[in-house]
Amino acid sequence: MTDLFGDLRDLYQEVILDHGRKPRNFRRLDDATLTARGDNPMCGDRMELFLKTAPDGHIEDAAFQGRGCAISMASASLMTETVKGKTPAQAKQMGEAFRELAMTGTCPHCGGDIADDMERLTPLSGVHEFPSRVKCATLAWHTLNAALDGAKEASSE
Amino acid sequence: MDGHIPALDLRRIRDDFPILSERVRGKPFTFLDSGASAQKPRAVIGAMVRMMETAYANVHRGAYHMSEVATEAYEAARGAVARFLNAGDVREIVFTKSSTEAINLVAHSYGRGVLKPGQAVVISEMEHHANIVPWQMARDAHGIELRVCRITDAGELDMDDLAAKLADGRVGLVAVTHMSNVLGTVTPAERIARMAHEAGAKVLFDGSQAAVHRRVDVQALDADFYVFTGHKLYGPTGIGVLYAKAALLEAMPPFLGGGDMISEVTFEKSIWAPIPAKFEAGTPPIVEAIGLHAAIDYVQSIGMAAIEAHERALVDRAMATLPHIEGLTLLGRAQDRGGVFAFALDTAHAHDIATLLDRAGIAVRSGRHCAEPLHERFGVESTCRASFGLYTTPEEVDLLAEALRQAREFFR
């Protein structure tokens, strides 16, 4: 029975389990300038994202609250860490690159300015082998888009 | 000893289901999601193929041999369903595409067509969305009041609350599950029907789960409406059944309009066909009806009593292990229950557990199982659900328990 789950450590890498158990920036931002709710109705994953943007638009702080699986919590946690200091355009570029990473496992657009941050997100690339779980990983980024666009709701269904 | 029920020959039964010899991720396929949709035996697959290869044409239409053969087979399926439910009259069996459509039919034709605005429909907290949403639609379109009967913490219907909901005599219909697709609870259908009738209400049972696991006798239950679906009974998708007392069907306006459901059409008006054709507009699921007939023959050749006994043993085995797994919360502890178990683990979300189990070749459902209000009732976001079929083995139940123990450790 020892090898019941085989190579699942590829999906649940230690960094994901760690962020899943102890998500970073897991709090409300009372002085948030942008917020959005993300919802995966089929799964029951829910999150609320808080962004504090500076007058020039760049993201000064990011935090979230919610409930969900290890993948969705870890992804939201890592996202809030990596988008701090980014302009909305950079954050959206990262979101695009991340969605490709989650769906294909490769990231042709992960270079340039965002290379270091995308490197931090690569532990999540394992979800591409689990089509039903991709939406868990991308929920946070859909929610980020919604917040930046001034929409209140996002869904990764 | 009243044990004249023979034990199932599980090896032979499993051989009847080709898919069970598939391997998943290099492991034997442990299918514990029959509650969502059951696997198909060769008898069903073969009957459908044979129908299409040798006896297929549209039904109730052609004055030619093959159409007559097909019509005869289609009507024979109706007869098999009537006997399966012990309906008194074969005209009381209406084929639909699913349980969901059957409930929508009743919500439309009885809910809006017969009930008066101001009358109430009682459902329960443990309904599948299919037995919630159609009544909300009837409420919003027709002014019917929707009442929700509470369930107890054990996951049983709160019979005192049901009595209270019925007390003012304004309830026209009680529509509740015969077996919860999440809690496994089997509801006391006879008693519910008696209470409903005493209060002047009709009763509908959603038998999507129950009809698979137990012998259902609609006359003994005194059910006014009973619905179930083919694909959970080892039959094909695309075919469901509505049983309704003939007098009710006669009094109800049609649901869908079209061919087959009329006896006369002019541009001024149409005259409805007699029941059950009145409720079967359009070309019906012909091959699927033949598949359902084969599925009914298949489970009856094994015997519903033997299937029930087998599943009871599996339930006992699961109840002896699952609740004792550290950190596992089982939803519902009904006294009378079938082989459906919804649970949560303290260290891991339902989706993570399902992904882990999948790696071990075990298929369970994760999420809210089309029963969001029930999950809110128990204060859980989502659960995993393991559900058993007649081919489930005791070893598979043990494997599930062991995998859950390991999954909990994996995420600690």
Side-chain angles (χ1 to χ4, degrees), chain A residues 75 79 88-110 114 118 121-122 124-129 131 133-149 154-157:
Chain A
S75 181
M79 182 189 80
Q90 286 170 321
K92 285 190 165 190
Q93 186 194 349
M94 289 170 63
E96 281 300 310
F98 178 76
R99 274 190 287 277
E100 193 163 10
L101 180 71
M103 282 191 282
T104 67
T106 61
C107 196
H109 304 107
C110 284
I114 60 171
M118 294 313 294
L121 302 177
T122 48
L124 284 159
S125 66
V127 294
H128 83 274
E129 287 181 49
R133 305 301 304 278
V134 168
K135 60 180 187 277
C136 308
T138 55
L139 176 64
W141 293 92
H142 283 291
T143 311
L144 177 75
N145 259 8
L148 292 172
D149 292 342
S155 168
S156 61
E157 275 306 304

Side-chain angles (χ1 to χ4, degrees), chain B residues 7-42:
Chain B
L8 297 194
D9 183 348
L10 270 183
R11 182 184 296 256
R12 204 209 73 211
I13 285 174
R14 290 181 68 83
D15 280 346
D16 291 339
F17 291 80
I19 202 169
L20 296 180
S21 58
E22 290 291 310
R23 293 181 77 81
V24 168
R25 303 191 188 282
K27 311 241 173 50
F29 181 33
T30 301
F31 183 67
L32 298 179
D33 198 21
S34 293
S37 196
Q39 298 298 348
K40 320 303 175 199
R42 268 192 197 86

Side-chain angles (χ1 to χ4, degrees), chain A residues 1 7 12 21 44 70 133, chain B residues 351-352 355 359 381 406 412:
Chain A
M1 288 284 205
D7 53 356
Y12 292 104
R21 283 188 206 107
R133 305 301 304 278
Chain B
H351 280 60
D352 297 315
T355 293
R359 248 325 123 108
E381 282 291 325
Q406 291 194 23
R412 251 152 92 93

